[in-house]
């Protein structure tokens, strides 16, 4: 794909995808989206943009591959331990006063964040009355997430994150080693529902006391971020909490007046 043509081609392809599959990428950051689309084009050795476009338009199986390649799936357990420490010490104890706790992990990728939250709920004796909804636009990563498997090559990192976040047990108690993978315990998985959800086009599906959407919105432009914040506002109970990534903020959005920010983290509490 020649660089001078690729911008126009990309817009054409994004229009196709919206029309045929209902996935709306128009508000996504153009630089990262273009980089990933061009990478797939080169990786699969297409000889022309017309061939690339035809394959995506006519083969749902290949569109699934396209979706896997252009959506961002970078995650780890207890990523940003300082955030999890705040979650454990300030947020979860308050949620513990509810008879039942509903949590939404939006843009969950391969599930590490959902399992991390479940571990802390278990340690605080709250898991039995909790349900975590973990959603992503990418069905392939959700299939991986539902397997509850983590690579043993990352265990040292995950253990260090867990300890820095204030974990009170041995991280090794939560998985069993199996060759190159560790299988997370079934009681964690039993409290997580993995399902596809498109933050851009899908509606609210429940009312939550805590929503985590960390390091997803940085790939959206401001209008699209605002649309997602309105979705979260409709999905969050009064006095519920919204947790964002380190480079994300609610401050510019139309719903910001409904929230107050915690001083210690990128967490907002709904007050109206």
């Amino acid at each position: 794909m020649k660089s001078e043509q690729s911008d126009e081609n990309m817009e054409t392809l994004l229009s196709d995808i919206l029309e045929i599959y209902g996935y709306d990428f128009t508000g996504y950051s153009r630089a990262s989206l273009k980089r990933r689309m061009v990478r797939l084009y080169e990786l699969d050795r297409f000889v022309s943009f017309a061939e690339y476009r035809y394959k995506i338009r006519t083969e749902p199986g290949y569109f699934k591959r396209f979706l896997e390649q252009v959506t961002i799936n970078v995650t780890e357990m207890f990523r940003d331990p300082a955030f999890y420490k705040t979650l454990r010490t300030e947020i979860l104890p308050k949620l513990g006063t509810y008879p039942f706790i509903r949590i939404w992990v939006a843009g969950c990728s391969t599930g590490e964040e959902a399992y991390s939250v479940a571990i802390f709920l278990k340690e605080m004796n709250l898991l039995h009355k909790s349900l975590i909804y973990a959603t992503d636009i990418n069905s392939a990563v959700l299939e991986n997430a539902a397997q509850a498997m983590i690579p043993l090559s990352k265990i040292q990192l995950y253990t260090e994150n867990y300890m820095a976040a204030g974990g009170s047990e041995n991280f090794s108690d939560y998985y069993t080693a199996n060759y190159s993978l560790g299988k997370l315990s079934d009681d964690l998985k039993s409290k997580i529902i993995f399902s596809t959800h498109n933050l851009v086009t899908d509606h609210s599906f429940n009312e939550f006391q805590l929503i985590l959407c960390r390091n997803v919105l940085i790939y959206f432009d401001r209008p699209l971020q605002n649309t997602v914040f309105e979705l979260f506002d409709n999905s969050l109970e009064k006095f519920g909490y919204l947790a964002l990534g380190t480079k994300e903020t609610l401050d510019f959005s139309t719903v910001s007046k409904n929230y107050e920010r915690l001083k210690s983290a990128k967490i907002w509490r709904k007050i109206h």
Side-chain angles (χ1 to χ4, degrees):
M1 222 190 301
K2 294 179 181 178
S3 58
E4 63 269 20
Q5 298 174 331
S6 61
D7 288 346
E8 184 179 343
N9 288 343
M10 183 172 73
E11 297 305 323
T12 301
L13 188 53
L14 294 180
S15 296
D16 288 347
I17 288 166
L18 177 59
E19 177 190 343
I20 297 167
Y21 299 104
Y23 284 86
D24 189 353
F25 286 102
T26 52
Y28 279 61
S29 163
R30 282 298 182 268
S32 63
L33 197 56
K34 179 182 175 182
R35 192 166 57 247
R36 285 171 174 78
M37 289 170 71
V38 171
R39 179 181 173 275
L40 180 61
Y41 177 90
E42 293 172 349
L43 195 65
D44 289 354
R45 300 170 184 253
F46 287 98
V47 296
S48 68
F49 170 74
E51 182 189 12
Y52 187 45
R53 180 188 179 194
Y54 181 78
K55 195 168 182 71
I56 291 170
R57 282 181 59 95
T58 61
E59 296 185 22
Y62 188 77
F63 172 69
K64 185 178 179 182
R65 171 166 168 74
F66 172 86
L67 202 59
E68 289 171 18
Q69 293 295 316
V70 301
T71 54
I72 314 297
N73 299 300
V74 179
T75 186
E76 64 189 43
M77 294 195 75
F78 299 98
R79 184 183 187 184
D80 185 9
F83 162 77
Y84 278 96
K85 198 156 201 171
T86 301
L87 190 69
R88 184 186 178 98
T89 58
E90 297 185 35
I91 309 303
L92 295 183
K94 291 186 174 69
L95 297 188
T97 63
Y98 288 82
F100 193 77
I101 304 167
R102 290 181 303 278
I103 297 171
W104 180 12
V105 180
C108 71
S109 186
T110 44
E112 281 83 347
E113 187 156 44
Y115 287 113
S116 299
V117 173
I119 285 172
F120 273 180
L121 288 168
K122 182 177 173 65
E123 291 186 2
M124 301 178 73
N125 197 29
L126 299 174
L127 187 61
H128 68 282
K129 63 170 186 175
S130 301
L131 198 55
I132 300 169
Y133 294 80
T135 66
D136 202 278
I137 191 176
N138 188 334
S139 59
V141 297
L142 290 172
E143 289 169 15
N144 290 337
Q147 299 298 315
M149 306 293 276
I150 53 176
L152 291 183
S153 59
K154 292 187 177 180
I155 289 297
Q156 183 176 349
L157 170 64
Y158 291 176
T159 302
E160 290 170 357
N161 286 353
Y162 166 76
M163 292 171 65
S168 60
E169 307 294 333
N170 293 318
F171 185 69
S172 58
D173 292 341
Y174 295 110
Y175 68 90
T176 51
N178 184 10
Y179 298 103
S180 63
L181 296 170
K183 181 162 178 37
L184 292 163
S185 55
D186 289 339
D187 57 342
L188 301 175
K189 181 183 173 183
S190 69
K191 290 295 184 176
I192 304 174
I193 297 173
F194 291 104
S195 62
T196 53
H197 183 274
N198 187 333
L199 289 172
V200 180
T201 56
D202 292 343
H203 300 296
S204 176
F205 58 93
N206 211 324
E207 198 169 35
F208 302 92
Q209 290 95 26
L210 171 63
I211 298 175
L212 297 91
C213 185
R214 301 171 65 235
N215 307 304
V216 175
L217 298 174
I218 51 174
Y219 300 105
F220 296 176
D221 63 20
R222 279 290 176 91
L224 184 51
Q225 287 182 25
N226 191 65
T227 298
V228 176
F229 285 140
E230 290 176 350
L231 168 67
F232 290 157
D233 190 57
N234 290 331
S235 306
L236 201 61
E237 283 187 8
K238 189 176 180 181
F239 304 124
Y241 296 89
L242 173 63
L244 302 177
T246 53
K247 296 179 181 177
E248 297 163 338
T249 182
L250 186 65
D251 292 347
F252 71 88
S253 78
T254 55
V255 299
S256 63
K257 62 186 181 298
N258 298 337
Y259 294 81
E260 61 181 13
R261 186 183 161 188
L262 274 65
K263 293 178 181 178
S264 52
K266 285 291 188 82
I267 301 174
W268 282 259
R269 186 179 189 225
K270 187 174 181 178
I271 54 174
H272 296 298

